[in-house]
Amino acid sequence: MQNHTHDVTVGSKLVRKKYVNLADGEPEREWLCLSLLARHASGVAPHPIRFTHEGDAPVVVMERLPGNPLRNAPASADQIAALGRALRRIYAVPMEAIEVSGLRERKVGPTEIANVLRSALNVPRDLSECDDPQLVKQALDLAQGHLRSPGTVPIPRLTTMGIADLNPANVLWDGKECRLVDFEDGGLTEPAFELADHVEHIATRLADVYSPEPLVESVSLTDHERHRFRQYRILWATFWLIKLLPGNSGSRINPAGTTEMQARHLRNLLSGMLHDQ
C-alpha cells in the first residue's frame, strides 16, 4: 500500500511503514506518539517495535492491530462511543511525559492555523472557474473579516497530544473497540481543536462520518471547550474552503459544486457563531 507520504507493508503480525516524505519530521512524530501511547495508553494504537532505515528512508515497524477501517459512511452510535473512549485515553497522556519526550506541536496546530489562514486569504484569487464565484467570494470575505475581529480566534492552548488525521481509514473497529493508526501528523494540541479538525475534514464531513454533537459528547468536552470547538470549526471550515479553490489540491479531486457547498457551510457556521454571542 502506498500514498504520497509513506509505503506500508502489512504482515501477519507486524506493519512496516517506510516514509517517502520527510517534510515535517513525520517518522519522528509517529515514533514519539506511538512510544508515548505504548507507555500511557497501551492498546489504543500500535505498539512500536523499532525505528530503522532502509537506505536513506526511515522505517517504523509496529504491531498489527485487529479490526477493519471505518467506512466512508456515518459511524454508528457504538462506533462513536468507542472512538470517544480511545480519544479520551490519548488526551489523558500526562503533559509531563509529552514534554520530556520532545514531541512537537501537531501539523497545522493551534498556534499556527490562524496565521496560515490569514496568509492564504491575503493571496489574490481568480474565482472565475467556480460555479458561483460571488458565493465563494462572499464566504472568503466573511472568513477574512472573522479572522480580523477581536476575540473570534481562541487563544491557542497546547494541553495534550492528538492524532491530527482521523481519516476513517485510520480508525480500526473490531466490533467493540476503536484503535487508531497513522500518527505521522500528530503532536501537541488540545481536544477542542482536534475534534473540530475531525468533523470539518472535507472527506469525513461529506460522508457525515463523525456527527459533531455525538462525537463531542463521547469525549466529554466542558461547556467552555465546546465553545472553543465551535470557534475552531470555523477555522477548519475556512481551511477547507481555501483547499477547494481553483488551482488548489482539493479542487482537482472533488466533484463540481463542492467549493460552493463548502462556502455555504462556512457561512452557516459563521452565522451560528454570531447567534451564540
Side-chain angles (χ1 to χ4, degrees):
M1 239 178 347
Q2 189 171 27
N3 69 16
H4 66 289
T5 62
H6 54 260
D7 182 7
V8 175
T9 304
V10 180
S12 59
K13 294 183 179 180
L14 298 178
V15 173
R16 195 171 163 282
K17 188 170 180 180
K18 177 181 175 182
Y19 298 82
V20 297
N21 183 348
L22 311 178
D24 199 23
E26 289 83 359
E28 291 78 15
R29 283 178 182 274
E30 182 128 39
W31 181 257
L32 288 175
C33 285
L34 295 183
S35 298
L36 282 163
L37 293 173
R39 290 194 294 273
H40 300 282
S42 181
V44 78
H47 188 86
I49 306 299
R50 61 182 175 272
F51 190 127
T52 185
H53 284 78
E54 184 178 297
D56 293 332
V59 177
V60 170
V61 180
M62 65 195 86
E63 71 170 330
R64 179 177 177 176
L65 293 174
N68 296 307
L70 293 184
R71 297 178 298 119
N72 277 316
S76 70
D78 286 345
Q79 289 169 335
I80 291 292
L83 179 56
R85 289 194 295 272
L87 291 173
R88 287 200 306 272
R89 292 189 66 201
I90 293 174
Y91 301 154
V93 173
M95 269 301 292
E96 295 85 354
I98 297 171
E99 290 169 351
V100 168
S101 77
L103 183 66
R104 297 182 293 121
E105 185 173 353
R106 59 155 281 175
K107 193 170 183 179
V108 192
T111 71
E112 302 168 339
I113 190 167
N115 287 335
V116 167
L117 296 178
R118 291 186 184 104
S119 177
L121 287 168
N122 283 330
V123 174
R125 303 284 180 182
D126 179 5
L127 303 178
S128 60
E129 293 182 22
C130 294
D131 290 349
D132 190 338
Q134 283 303 113
L135 168 65
V136 175
K137 183 179 185 305
Q138 180 194 45
L140 291 170
D141 289 345
L142 288 171
Q144 195 165 37
H146 178 81
L147 282 162
R148 289 172 177 163
S149 300
T152 56
V153 176
I155 297 172
R157 296 175 180 170
L158 300 177
T159 62
T160 186
M161 64 175 290
I163 185 173
D165 184 1
L166 204 65
N167 183 313
N170 295 337
V171 181
L172 302 181
W173 167 248
D174 66 1
K176 183 179 178 181
E177 297 298 336
C178 286
R179 297 174 180 87
L180 308 183
V181 300
D182 200 355
F183 283 79
E184 66 180 46
D185 292 336
L188 282 165
T189 185
E190 67 165 302
F193 186 84
E194 290 293 287
L195 294 180
D197 182 3
H198 302 336
V199 302
E200 287 300 325
H201 192 289
I202 190 68
T204 55
R205 194 177 70 76
L206 292 180
D208 195 26
V209 178
Y210 309 127
S211 295
E213 189 55 35
L215 185 59
V216 165
E217 190 69 30
S218 75
V219 178
S220 304
L221 293 191
T222 66
D223 288 344
H224 180 61
E225 288 173 322
R226 286 170 181 256
H227 179 68
R228 292 173 68 83
F229 166 74
R230 292 191 292 273
Q231 290 179 306
Y232 280 132
R233 283 189 70 184
I234 291 171
L235 301 188
W236 281 113
T238 302
F239 176 91
W240 282 106
L241 178 57
I242 292 168
K243 283 268 192 182
L244 290 163
L245 294 178
N248 290 348
S249 57
S251 68
R252 295 191 290 270
I253 60 175
N254 285 284
T258 305
T259 306
E260 286 71 23
M261 184 190 64
Q262 184 67 17
R264 293 187 191 92
H265 173 65
L266 175 56
R267 284 195 320 186
N268 290 339
L269 288 179
L270 286 164
S271 176
M273 183 58 72
L274 286 174
H275 292 154
D276 284 347
Q277 293 174 351

